[in-house]
Amino acid sequence: MSIDLRILNHLGIQLYSNVAAVLSEAVANAWDAEATQVAIDLTPETITITDNGSGMDRSQINERFLNVGYDKRREEGDCTPNKCRPHMGRKGIGKLSLFSVADVVDVYTSNGSEKHAFRMEIDKIRRSIEARGTYFPEPIASRELKGTQIVLSALKRKRVMRTAEALRKRLARRFSIITYKRGDDSFDVVINGHRV
Ligand SMILES: Nc1ncnc2c1ncn2[C@@H]1O[C@H](COP(=O)(O)OP(=O)(O)OP(=O)(O)O)[C@@H](O)[C@H]1O
Ligand SMILES: [Mg+2]
């Protein structure tokens, strides 16, 4: 990943003031990945977002996820490849918002044939970008899944700790198509086991 530190600070660390907004970014990415299910699990120490979407292969991780400013519409057209959902992604910066709620972001992803996992830590990103202008996430042990799982840990302060119930409401308000059905295409978001 290459990014100007000022951009990381402004777009990632400072821009988002609440967890619901950040979770909406993850849900939007799951939508674009053609997931039918997104599970958000909150514990005092972690927030885990698991989708059953397309997952990412190595080149998609490098060229899309780790590419700040990835232009989804230019590269992939107006809608998703199989279900033709209109893309929610626009700017290629949504993932940076994860760092406004957590210092550590673990990503597990699989497209069904290859699986990958890596950890991103805000301190290391800062130091590495400062020294070299680029950051290489740290490989970690992969998990068995089809889709993408993002685990947020080293959560920042108390503002992160909303009740699951309050988050469900806020997320539903921010994300008007959170329950969706068109033909045999559906999209469900579940927080701590309860459907939003
Ligand atoms: N859960 C996911 N499953 C599969 N691919 C993902 C997932 N999350 C992110 N990606 C890939 O990483 C890219 C970058 O994500 P990011 O949220 O930063 O930008 P975006 O969604 O393209 O645009 P926006 O800035 O509007 O969010 C996505 O376009 C997508 O290709
Ligand atoms: Mg996005």
Side-chain angles (χ1 to χ4, degrees):
M1 182 171 82
S2 325
I3 184 173
D4 188 293
L5 268 190
R6 284 185 66 245
I7 309 278
L8 179 66
N9 286 332
H10 288 300
L11 294 183
I13 299 163
Q14 290 164 14
L15 187 66
Y16 289 76
S17 54
N18 73 78
V19 181
V22 172
L23 292 179
S24 302
E25 294 291 344
V27 170
N29 285 348
W31 165 267
D32 285 346
E34 303 193 318
T36 57
Q37 283 271 354
V38 189
I40 298 172
D41 292 293
L42 307 159
T43 73
E45 272 81 43
T46 60
I47 300 174
T48 303
I49 307 121
T50 310
D51 73 55
N52 65 352
S54 58
M56 291 177 274
D57 64 19
R58 185 188 302 273
S59 68
Q60 288 167 334
I61 293 170
N62 287 317
E63 290 160 22
R64 300 179 180 186
F65 194 88
L66 295 175
N67 179 354
V68 178
Y70 173 66
D71 190 339
K72 195 166 196 72
R73 286 150 202 248
R74 195 185 60 199
E75 303 297 332
E76 299 173 49
D78 283 339
C79 71
T80 62
N82 300 309
K83 305 181 177 207
C84 200
R85 293 180 178 175
H87 285 134
M88 300 199 84
R90 284 173 183 276
K91 302 199 176 88
I93 58 174
K95 70 250 160 178
L96 297 179
S97 71
L98 300 171
F99 292 106
S100 69
V101 296
D103 285 344
V104 177
V105 175
D106 293 339
V107 179
Y108 303 87
T109 191
S110 170
N111 63 1
S113 54
E114 46 185 273
K115 47 184 197 237
H116 300 283
F118 56 94
R119 165 169 288 193
M120 307 177 79
E121 288 176 80
I122 197 69
D123 285 348
K124 292 186 181 170
I125 297 177
R126 280 215 186 87
R127 267 184 270 131
S128 177
I129 295 282
E130 225 154 9
R132 296 174 273 283
T134 55
Y135 168 71
F136 293 89
E138 178 195 336
I140 56 177
S142 60
R143 291 182 176 174
E144 250 357 287
L145 77 158
K146 163 64 175 56
T148 300
Q149 181 171 69
I150 295 180
V151 182
L152 307 177
S153 59
L155 302 177
K156 303 196 193 203
R157 284 176 269 134
K158 290 285 173 261
R159 72 174 173 192
V160 169
M161 286 302 105
R162 299 199 168 273
T163 66
E165 177 58 30
L167 261 179
R168 267 195 292 281
K169 282 200 185 126
R170 293 162 62 104
L171 206 62
R173 241 180 268 139
R174 291 191 66 92
F175 209 104
S176 58
I177 55 165
I178 208 150
T179 48
Y180 166 85
K181 189 137 191 49
R182 184 183 67 185
D184 60 358
D185 184 15
S186 62
F187 186 64
D188 284 313
V189 179
V190 170
I191 300 185
N192 279 9
H194 296 277
R195 237 175 119 196
V196 175

